[in-house]
Amino acid sequence: MKNISLKDNIIKTIHIIKVIYASSKGFFLSFILQSIFTALFPYISIYFTYLIIDGIIDNLALNDILIYVYWMISLNLIVGLIRVVLTYMTKTFSIELSYNLDSKIASKTFELDYALVEDNETMKLLEMAEEGCYSNGGPTHYCEGILGGMLSSVLSIVYGIILMIPMLTIVNTTDNSLIVKILNNPYSALIILLALLIPAYVSKYIMKRDNEKSYEIMMYNINANRRSGYFFQIASNYKYGKDARLFQMQDMFIELMKELREEADISWRAYCIYNTKMMAISIFGNKALALIAYVFVGLKAMYGLISVGSVVSYMASITLLSLAITTLIERYSKLHLFNKYLDNYFTYLNLETKKEYGTINDLDINNINIKFDNVSFKYPNTNDYTLKNVNLEIKQGKKLAIVGPNGAGKTTIIKLLCRLYEPSEGEILINDIPIKDYTKEVCDMLFSVVFQDFKLFSYSIKDNVAAGLDGDDEKVIKTLKKTGLYDRVEKMSEGINTMIYQRSKEAGVEISGGEAQKLAISRALYKDSPIVILDEPTAALDPKSEAEIYENFNELVSNKTSVFISHRMSSCKFCDEIIVVDHGEIIEIGHHRLLLSNNGLYNKMWNAQAKYYLK
Ligand code: ADP
């Protein structure tokens, strides 16, 4: 772990404090006040105990002593009550703080380029940000435990020193013995106080090593946690249940999880042994020096240099001072580590989106012509081209089919079109203008897509169809009728408001793969974009539903420009133009009859399937 200077630490801490303050002012103020009162609390009793004991020894009137007792109890009650209220407020506001920080991460993830989200390094950074931050107690602990702990310690040191000042003063005495001279010398007291810093210095070193080790372990564990998290997800998510059981994969998962745990155990155990040894050294050293200080105070009292009440107050102050100094160093060291973790958090929040948008926003949605101009593409971190010199045109109002073997690059063409990825070479043009010159709003509005691996969410049917848009009931129902799903939805207990799938404890309705696909198509149609793209739109549908979708295809896409990818060659007949992709290249282009007569790949694919649909 790289060493961060004090100055860097302060700059980082100020930056983090600003973010925390902006995320929840309530939390910030309550934890600051909580720290102040926490530090004050023990000194109330120390101070009044000193006054009461000296009062008794000096034969003060009972009433005067009772006034001290009254003040001690009252102040303890008041400060105790304030602390309870502040603790309650801090806890309540911590929800607001965590929510606001979490939503920053979530918004950032949605903002990022898809290519970055798919990238392993980005995901590792996100995990490091979350793991580092949350496995160590999160921002709430950063404030309450670390910053609050440091503030309380500083205040505790200040209160303690104020109470100890009389110990540094010279008392008039007739005893001229060497021991009294030493005990009465302010430098002796100062040396004793400074000696309290020794264990603190040692603990600084210990904490530094401790932090280095725990950071190393966290980094080491990130990948292991990620893999075991995935296994846990498989075990606990009912969607994986069928495959895991039928292929008896449970033993494999359990074995893999065991291996991961064993790896993590070894490094964790080594860390724990080191940590325990160091803690023992630190505690022993601390106590030994506090003992010397107690003996010094005791001797001062024996030789009449301080009162009995002062002995109680000094001893308690020494205990608190030594604890506060150690806590301050320990928390500073934790701050150093936490700032390092939070660095990942801020690096993630500061990741730059590479996708460029332009300023053009006037586009006639009834006149959109798209062109791929010599587009080639490699997925990030891969060496081979997935698409090579793709030239194609998608003309306004036309229906284009893309066919080809698995892995040929069909979906990749769609991903580039929707700007999930940017071409490595060449350009995509809309009405002869590069697509990146249009605004984000234009790009977002252009396409309604149903991907082969579409995802529905465990929300209501309506929310899934409207996808967070205005959610017009009538429009949702009309769309569901178009895809033939309304008959089923109508019978559900809450109609379009019925929740699908199971979300944590709330049970939703299970829908079949075919119904899910119809729902995904409904979502695409509801968006009402000028271009509809369906990637394998009917793969999960039964033959009857498939026929219905194709028969109604024109109505479904209502003469919009449409692109669809299909393995079912019969569906291509409905299209104005077909492109055949193989090994990332367009090898044939034309309409059904032309391609059939070509005797190429299209002809082969058609004939391979012809026996299923030719009577
Ligand atoms: P098709 O839709 O024709 O079945 P794809 O466009 O999905 O094919 O994939 C084309 C090739 O690109 C395949 O070899 C696939 O493995 C590869 N590929 C797809 N997605 C990624 C990705 N995110 N990273 C790297 N390679 C990918």
Side-chain angles (χ1 to χ4, degrees), residues 118 379 382 386 405-412 415 421:
E118 265 204 341
Y379 277 101
T382 58
T386 298
N406 277 335
K410 304 181 294 293
T411 302
T412 307
K415 286 184 189 165
Y421 293 92

Side-chain angles (χ1 to χ4, degrees), residues 35-37 39-40 43 150-160:
S35 311
I36 294 174
F37 283 100
L40 183 65
Y43 286 101
M150 284 175 73
L151 182 60
S152 298
S153 304
V154 169
L155 291 173
S156 194
I157 292 168
V158 172
Y159 301 150

